[in-house]
Amino acid sequence: MQFSKLRLLGFKSFVDPTELVIAPGLTGVVGPNGCGKSNLLEALRWVMGENRASAMRGGGMDDVIFAGADSRPARNYAEVTLTLDNRERLAPAAFNTEDNLEIVRRITRDAGSAYKVNGKECRARDVQMLFADASTGAHSPALVRQGQIAELINAKPKARRRVLEEAAGISGLYKRRHEAELKLNGTESNLVRVEDVLEQLESQLRTLERQAKQAARYRQIADELRRSEGLLLYRRWREADVERLAAEGALGEASKAAAGAQGRALAALKAREAAEGKVPPLREEEAIAGSVLQRLQVEQAALAEQESRALQAIADLETRIAQLEKDAEREAALNKDAGETVERLNWEVEALEKAGAGHEDKMAEAKDAASTAAQSLQNVEAEADQLSEDAARLAARHQSAKRRLEDAKGLVEKLSGEIEKARVAEIEVLTSYETAKAQVAEAEALQLAATAEAEAAEVTLLAVEERRAVAQRIEGETRVSLSEADGEAKAHEGELAALQRLIARDQGDGVQILDKVRAEKGYEAALGAALADDLKAPEIGEDAASGWVTYGALKDTAPLPAGAARLALHVVAPEALARRLQLVGVVARAEGALLQGRLLPGQRLVSVEGDLWRWDGFRAGAEDAPSEAALRLQRQNRLVELEEAAREAQGLADKARAAHASAKALMQAAQAADQAARVARRRADEAATDAVRRVSKLRAEAESFGARVESLALAVKRREED
């Protein structure tokens, strides 16, 4: 590939469209300083994918856009186009279909830049790889900027290696290897993420398995309940039928008794006339008995209410007793942990007391031994000085007694000066000695304070560590609760979203009257069997060709067979379905075949399982696949249940999240307090150690000053004797 043309528009100083034709051979650009020669090289770097603003001699990438002049307004964008000759087909496979490649980079102020290759948008990475495969690019050593010749001459072996690799045409391989490493790192991150997602899915799967078991158990119990209800209804019907037969027999006997009763009624009429005179007193007695009965009923209601309150109070007390037992167990566990902590602290206190036993006596003995040794050293030094002086005097006597007489006056003057100097030095050293003793006392007081502060910091640290352990335990418990609540909420949300998409897909077939129908839970299959595909028709006006027209319910309709309940009582539907639903009854599965022969024209019976019996003799069993309408109705009812369950699960998750956030804040506060307590203890320990060292140092200095005072006193005494 050969560079054939460079076109600039709004790039730095090239505000107008400018083309630089790069012909075969040597192409040069000559001009004075500031004419824009360096801008051409920067344009080449920029169009080949340079993203560093510093390489463009600017503070930001927007600085490559023409900023304006006194006579020219600023531009809002800059564009550089580089044309490549690809007739030898040396470009990468993705760009090797054209004879000429036109790479365009355009930047808009405050909007970023974009790349195009032969008019098609592409990524910056694709352009960089294009030039890397051609052994060049924005960072190629072949693009020599001002001052780079000296850098290449003085370059390190690594930089020279880049030049050789580019000349060999393998620099693109390093770029692709870098891309491959980035992809591998991204793949590893994705694998880690996949493992996390798998763990979450396993948790959700366990939750769904638990819910599936609960749903299976629910269906089993529901089936048993329906069978039990059917048997109960059948038994009641049989009992009612027996009672009906008994009532018919009793009716015949009653008719016979009625004839005889008429004669007795005439006699009773006469007796009544006689008894009417006795009615008023009896009515008064009845009124009194009624008032007494009403009072007793009121008292009975009050006693029943007191009984319910007493039972509620008993239940509340039992709940509180159970809670108190749990609190007692928790407090016992806490007391046990506290007892173990107290025992451990007592053992540490005893160990510290044993370790510190006899420390003060040993310190006093060491001080006495040091004083005795210092005194012995001073005595030995004094004796050595005395012996030296005696030897000198004896030597002087042996050498020349005459010279002693001549030097006596000079020696007296010299010794007098030395005595005066020794006395002045003794006073200065004595002053320093007193000062050193005061500093020792002050340092010992600081040592005691630092030791007390270190002990207090240790006690504070133990208390903070205990609070941190409690906060971590609470945070762990709330984190587990939050994870479970989030898993439950996400499971509900996932099932709810899937069901909503399924319902939306079902509703995508157009407007149907089924969208306005709702059935009670358990009656979806019955409604689907009763209306089947008729529910797919829309609700229309009287002028339309096909659909449901609203006429309202029929006023006079034949009753359904005995034992059949109206399906309309369990369905919420538009008025257009009123007539159809009037003629549909719900019966037990075992009774449908028995009652089918009693159906009138237009009537039909269904069971909650989805069986159908029509008046014209047609019947369909529920063993066939459920109708699409029944499935949609079941999904709608399930959607309502899931929405409620999702709201409850989300509420629990929000509460768990708030509890976890509170526990996490407490744990962080406890950790911060623990860290602060550890820092305080470390500083207190360091202060105590420094205080011990300072006391030892000042004591040594004080003892040194004391020894010097004694030495100077002895020197003064010797000079006076001399």
Side-chain angles (χ1 to χ4, degrees), residues 154-218:
N154 300 321
K156 295 181 179 179
K158 185 176 181 180
R160 295 179 182 177
R161 179 183 177 183
R162 289 180 52 202
V163 177
L164 296 176
E165 288 175 350
E166 182 170 333
I170 62 174
S171 59
L173 299 178
Y174 286 97
K175 185 71 175 177
R176 291 192 178 277
R177 185 182 70 176
H178 179 65
E179 294 290 329
E181 290 175 351
L182 292 179
K183 291 180 180 179
L184 287 175
N185 293 334
T187 303
E188 291 179 357
S189 301
N190 292 336
L191 287 175
V192 174
R193 177 58 182 161
V194 166
E195 291 178 356
D196 296 338
V197 172
L198 286 176
E199 291 179 358
Q200 294 178 1
L201 291 177
E202 288 178 357
S203 176
Q204 295 179 3
L205 181 60
R206 288 193 295 269
T207 303
L208 292 175
E209 288 177 353
R210 186 173 64 254
Q211 293 176 354
K213 292 179 181 178
Q214 294 176 354
R217 178 61 178 165
Y218 171 76

Side-chain angles (χ1 to χ4, degrees), residues 241-254:
D241 191 46
V242 172
E243 291 177 357
R244 179 181 61 79
L245 295 176
E248 289 178 354
L251 179 61
E253 295 177 357

